[in-house]
Structures are given as C-alpha cells and as structure tokens.
Amino acid sequence: MIDFDRVIERRGTHSSKWDNIARLSGIKSPDAIPMWVADMDFAAPPGVTAALTAELQRAVHGYYADTGSWAAALVDWMARRHGVQVDPGWVSTTPGIVSGLGLILQAVSAPGDEVVVFPPAYHAFRRIIVANERRILDAQLVASAGRYAMDLDALRAKLSPRTKVIFLCSPHNPGGTVWSAAELRALATLCAERDLILVSDEIHCDLVFDGAKHTPTMAAAPEIADRLITCIAATKTFNLAGAHVGACITSNAALKRRLDARIGASGLGSYNRFGMIATEAAWRTGEPWLNELLPYLAKNRDLFDDRIQTAAPGARSMHLDGTYLAWVDFSGTGLAPEEVAARVSQRAHIFASPGEQFGPGGETWLRFNFATPRPILDDALARMDEAFSDFRARK
Ligand SMILES: Cc1ncc(COP(=O)(O)O)c(C=O)c1O
C-alpha cells in the first residue's frame, strides 16, 4: 500500500512547482499552493528510489553506457500496458519530450514551415514551434458532449504547401480527452493525403481513468507508420519530470536517421545517467505503484470537480478521461477572466495555469493540477470556496 496522503515538504528543494511560484505568478504569500505545472507531489515508486539509492551508494557517477536495457524496459512496458510491439531499433532517446519535439522539427521541416496544433493545447508546443522559427497553424478543437473533438474538415481547408507537421497530444492536455481509434485513424488519413508528419505526444498515456482506454496512434493507424513519430516517457507517469528523459519512436529508418543526426549535432547522444536509471527502474518496477495511483487521482478529480462547481457556481470542469490536470471553464460564472484569476491567485493563493497560455479557446479557463496529497487538495478547495464566498452570496 502506497501512502499517497503523505505530505512531503517540497519548498526549498529546487522544486520548480513550489519554488517558482512567486517569480512566475506574483503570489508572494508563503502559504501559496501550486496547481500549475504537471508534476505530482508524491514520492516516486519504491523501485525507483531503490535504484537511485544503489547508484548513490556506489558514489561513482561516470558516463552512462547504453547497453539497450533502457529501450528494452520501454518496449516491455508498451507491450504490457498498451498492447503494442515496439522494436528497440525504432527508439531515439532525448532529454525529454519537448526537446525531442524541437529536434523533430529540425529534422523534418524548415524555418517558415507550418506546424499544426490543436488548441487549447499544451503551451510548450507553441513555444518550441516559435523558438525553432516555424509557424503555428491552429486547428481549433470543438467541445462536443463534454469532451474535445477535432474538426478535420476545417483543418483541411487551412492546410498549405508549407504545412509539414502535426503535433497531436494524446491523451489531450488540457481537457484530458482520450482519442478514439476512429478519431486517430481519421487524422492519420489526413496526414497521408497531405504528406504530413504526425508527431503523437503520448506522455500522458498511462494516466487514464475509469475504463477509458488509451489507443497508441501506432496501433490505431499502422498504415501511416512511415510518417509517424510517437513520443513516450516514464517521467509523467512515475513523477520523474526532473529526470528529463524521453523517447521518440519511429519505424521509418530514414526518418529516424534524420532525427538521430539532429540529436548528434546537438551533442545529445550521451544520456543523463540518473535519468536513465530512474526511468528504467520505473518501467520495470513501477506498475503496482501506478495501479494504486490511478484510483487516488480519480478520487481527487471527482472531489475537485464537485467542490469547484459548488464554490464558483457556473464554473464547469471538463470531464477528464486522462491526465491529472483539471480544465475549468469559468465563463458560466459571468465574472471577467481577470476577476476569476485575481480571486484564485490573490484570495485563495493558488497558482493555476492561465487558460490563455494554451492558445485560442483557453481564455475563460484555468488549469489546475490536482495530483497532490488529499490534505493539500482539501486546503486548496477550502480556499477556493472562501475566495468565491461573496460571489455566491450575491447570487
Ligand atoms: C503533452 C506534454 N508533452 C510534454 C511534456 C513535457 O515533457 P518533458 O518534460 O519530457 O519535456 C508535458 C508536460 O506537462 C506535456 O503535458
């Protein structure tokens, strides 16, 4: 039994989530609660701690020799958890997914080319596209039956000869949409029709709740294997974001060579020893921990949704099938987004991610990370209740 209720003090530990609050949000209060960036406040799986402890006790931390055991652990995980057969020869290791996305862009596109994203979408997609001097092509998601859907006809009409790549987030962040095999196949058809590379960022694939099932794009649409790159990591699943290790997977050998050339050109062919040890141990030993984590997170999601909607009448959470990032629309409160933001940050002292960060369609939304021990979640929800108490009284 893992004690996910245990509160671990993270202030003053070089935690970006906790120690960057004042700098990034302007919330100066020492009791501020961070509900922004996607890392969890739980201890890593015991097998990860054991592997890192063994490394620390040996106390020699020289260059890492990649013997293939890391990719083998990834392959076993993907087969066991997601029913897909990945060949270890398809795997390129990168210092995280976002760096992998940048390297992919450099490998398959040129400055000025267009890259499709489906907003509201993970903000680093936008950042890495612009930083690589490519252009963002927004394919607005539409909310339908309480979840997001892609409007591929609208996207088709927008594509140009400069459109080269699609960044898909699967499951989707924010909004927690788990794409169906049919939706993925429809997108794959579009990619084949218009000669586009599809990058399927599946970093949240293991964080799926209540009978929803993640379908790897490579399983849904094997017919586009030659134009598909799947991004996978153990870091989100097992709360090892600081380990900064990810994988880009493609069965297209020529495409992989182009990507590996970019990895080599940036001197990234030698990997972070601690990250490799931690993430391999996670895939090999972390499954029981994950199996206990998921119901804990699902309960947090239900508590959060219930209480946020009571605290701020009119606020609505999108029903998450995956991720631990509640996506809440405050437009139904009738309050201006600035007022909602001020109540959350200045009265509740909660740092949530502003919806506008995720691109068009996010303006009236806030994203809240609820992957925290229940005593912290309870405190946050009590503060939200207080922050909107006069608003409720006016109604
Ligand atoms: C969709 C998505 N991709 C990538 C990342 C970050 O990956 P990394 O830390 O490996 O760069 C996140 C983190 O929240 C994410 O939500």
Side-chain angles (χ1 to χ4, degrees):
M1 273 286 286
I2 307 286
D3 182 10
F4 290 108
D5 282 336
R6 181 163 70 101
V7 174
I8 301 168
E9 178 59 61
R10 299 186 67 195
R11 293 182 190 90
T13 65
H14 296 283
S15 158
S16 179
K17 184 178 183 182
W18 288 83
D19 292 329
N20 277 333
I21 299 176
R23 190 172 68 78
L24 297 180
S25 72
I27 305 171
K28 298 284 190 295
S29 168
D31 71 348
I33 298 180
M35 301 183 85
W36 62 292
V37 69
D39 79 35
M40 305 191 260
D41 294 319
F42 307 123
V48 172
T49 305
L52 287 174
T53 303
E55 170 68 13
L56 290 182
Q57 283 175 345
R58 257 190 319 275
V60 188
H61 311 299
Y63 289 115
Y64 177 79
D66 186 2
T67 58
S69 65
W70 186 83
L74 182 165
V75 165
D76 287 350
W77 180 261
M78 293 303 287
R80 206 166 61 244
R81 201 79 189 176
H82 298 289
V84 284
Q85 208 48 56
V86 172
D87 185 305
W90 300 348
V91 177
S92 298
T93 307
T94 56
I97 299 300
V98 176
S99 59
L101 297 175
L103 293 159
I104 291 168
L105 287 182
Q106 293 160 26
V108 304
S109 67
D113 282 347
E114 292 167 346
V115 182
V116 174
V117 300
F118 293 96
Y122 175 51
H123 49 86
F125 283 1
R126 309 182 84 77
R127 217 172 47 215
I128 200 79
I129 293 167
V130 172
N132 279 280
E133 297 168 2
R134 275 65 170 167
R135 288 181 294 151
I136 298 166
L137 186 64
D138 280 321
Q140 195 68 48
L141 291 175
V142 285
S144 154
R147 73 192 283 279
Y148 280 128
M150 295 179 247
D151 182 348
L152 295 185
D153 291 332
L155 172 58
R156 244 185 208 94
K158 282 180 134 185
L159 295 173
S160 84
R162 293 304 299 265
T163 317
K164 297 286 159 50
V165 182
I166 295 185
F167 280 175
L168 173 73
C169 191
S170 176
H172 194 73
N173 166 23
T177 308
V178 172
W179 304 112
S180 70
E183 287 171 311
L184 295 168
R185 268 195 300 275
L187 180 63
T189 302
L190 173 70
C191 292
E193 255 170 48
R194 305 298 285 262
D195 193 20
L196 302 172
I197 298 285
L198 180 57
V199 180
S200 188
D201 176 348
E202 301 183 19
I203 195 170
H204 293 280
C205 65
D206 299 311
L207 298 164
V208 164
F209 305 124
D210 311 328
K213 187 161 169 22
H214 170 74
T215 306
T217 304
M218 69 173 83
E223 66 279 9
I224 62 145
D226 268 359
R227 56 180 69 256
L228 176 66
I229 304 177
T230 300
C231 299
I232 291 290
T235 50
K236 201 64 57 183
T237 309
F238 298 104
N239 202 30
L240 303 168
H244 260 297
V245 184
C248 297
I249 303 171
T250 181
S251 61
N252 178 333
L255 186 54
K256 182 174 189 302
R257 272 196 301 277
R258 277 151 74 191
L259 175 59
D260 288 344
R262 297 318 310 167
I263 292 172
S266 302
L268 297 173
S270 170
Y271 312 132
N272 180 298
R273 176 174 193 87
F274 299 98
M276 295 298 277
I277 289 171
T279 51
E280 178 175 341
W283 279 320
R284 290 197 186 284
T285 69
E287 196 159 19
W289 179 94
L290 177 63
N291 289 341
E292 287 189 49
L293 172 74
L294 290 174
Y296 191 90
L297 289 179
K299 178 87 188 296
N300 275 14
R301 174 199 59 184
D302 295 344
L303 279 173
F304 182 91
D305 287 353
D306 187 39
R307 287 180 57 187
I308 200 90
Q309 287 164 188
T310 310
R316 282 286 165 273
S317 294
M318 191 163 266
H319 179 78
L320 301 187
D321 280 326
T323 81
Y324 48 72
L325 304 163
W327 183 232
V328 186
D329 183 11
F330 286 85
S331 61
T333 62
L335 297 169
E338 306 74 52
E339 178 170 353
V340 172
R343 283 173 184 268
V344 173
S345 63
Q346 301 311 319
R347 288 180 61 170
H349 299 161
I350 288 174
F351 181 16
S353 298
E356 69 203 10
Q357 220 175 57
F358 302 89
E363 297 79 0
T364 60
W365 299 69
L366 290 174
R367 195 191 72 175
F368 296 83
N369 174 347
F370 57 71
T372 195
R374 224 152 272 152
I376 297 179
L377 184 67
D378 278 336
D379 185 7
L381 289 166
R383 292 184 197 189
M384 288 295 287
D385 197 65
E386 167 54 28
F388 286 88
S389 55
D390 60 316
F391 168 70
R392 283 197 306 279
R394 285 209 304 265
K395 288 219 122 192

